[in-house]
Amino acid sequence: MTQELNDGLPAREGALALIDAALSRRGGLDEAASANAFRFLEPRERAFARALAMAALRHLGPIDRALAGKLAKEPPPRVRNLLRLGATQAFFLEVPAFAAVATSVELANANKASRPFKGLVNAVLRGLLRDGALSDAAEHLAPPWLYARWVGAWGKDTADAVAAQIGFEPATDLSLKPGADAAALAAELEGEILPGGTLRTERRGDVSAWPAFEDGVWWVQDAAAAIPARLLRLQPGETALDLCAAPGGKTLQLAAAGARTVAVDRSAARLVRVTENLARLNLTAEVVAADAGAWEDERTFDAVLLDAPCSATGTFRRHPDVLWAARPGDVASLAVVQSRLLDSAAGRLSLGGRLVYCVCSLEPEEGEAQVEAFLARRPDMALDPIASEEGGAPAASLTARGTLRILPHHREGGLDGFFAARFVKAAP
């Protein structure tokens, strides 16, 4: 093996750590980024390791499908991940086939648990290369159980259109402060302004080095994630409550709209980022670390935004690990939490106030079903239908009920999957 290939081994070891964390449900990629195998890498190596892990997760379905035909029995987890890593390099990244195989064999040899399998790694990867390209069928990109749910909810054509988005690396979306020169920023970042005002750019790299970051003009927020806060139609001086607020993009929207904003989240650690972003953008909000369902505060608000904990299956474009870490039982258990939080949110709303409920989930139990159950048990709450394209939402996302079911293929270039509904509080 050449010295050049040896130099790439630490980055590949870092990618292995990321993949293992993502698939073992131990905090996912964000937590793995603090592991020694990743955090001590040079910046260029970290970037390669993350790109390699993300590519592996985006194409995990086709890769595992191909590996199933080459493995007589299940290998140890490190060995399977080495095979995934090698296949990713060979088929989805611009890595020469010989380097993809050689580095995978060398990584197998470097660990006593995988050393006895280095021959297997070599043989399987060479076999895949002889077979040629992996499956490009959209249905093979998603876990079978999730794909079956999507077919049941929307039919095969729509399920295929959603699943096809899994394999694409997304652009970066930015929300701008009111008054920002959107056209000038779009020109500087070589981007475009989407309906609703989101700026989309294909630029990559450290966002903190991008134009106007230090000036506090914008923050990173997916185009779909920016829509729910706009649906509140806030007026300056109104009171607004953001429940389950971290990481804080929606809090920034409420504060930037001129609302007197309170942001509540149970994670004090995650609220640190909210506070930092408020300071960078020169915005003000009251930040509270508390369980949104049990928070003891008697204030009521003109507008409440509840971005509830969910299966997050709609975020797979930026977080493909969510698809493979999710389990069928997660949806039902999270639906119970969402119901509790919805009732808490309604209780904190002033008479005539607006409540927007949203989840970054593709699953009907976390969206449409929650709306119907909530209305059935809360006679004081009425559905306030959303208008077509309101808040920058794609026209295709509006349901007959007046809610939003945003699917990742509803906008060219993709966007996160979201569900959103708006309610108004009337006299009981």
Side-chain angles (χ1 to χ4, degrees), residues 16 19-20 23 56 59-88 104 108 113-114 117-118 120-121 124-125 128 324:
L16 278 176
I19 294 169
D20 177 65
L23 300 179
H59 298 95
L60 196 66
I63 290 171
D64 278 359
R65 184 180 175 84
L67 289 176
K70 301 292 182 185
L71 297 170
K73 62 179 182 178
E74 181 63 24
R78 177 179 170 85
V79 175
R80 175 169 279 279
N81 287 337
L82 280 168
L83 291 169
R84 289 163 166 162
L85 205 63
T88 300
S104 299
S114 55
F117 296 89
K118 66 179 183 179
L120 174 73
V121 170
V124 169
L125 290 178
L128 291 181
W324 304 99

Side-chain angles (χ1 to χ4, degrees), residues 52 73 87 121 147 163 199 209 243 246 335 358 423:
L52 183 50
K73 62 179 182 178
V121 170
Y147 178 78
L199 192 162
L243 294 175
C358 64
F423 306 90

Side-chain angles (χ1 to χ4, degrees), residues 4 10 13 29-30 52 117 150-151 156 185 215 266 345 352 367 380 404:
E4 181 182 354
E13 194 69 57
L29 294 178
D30 290 340
L52 183 50
F117 296 89
W150 299 347
V151 171
K156 179 171 171 49
L185 269 174
D215 298 332
R266 68 185 305 169
D380 59 331
L404 292 180

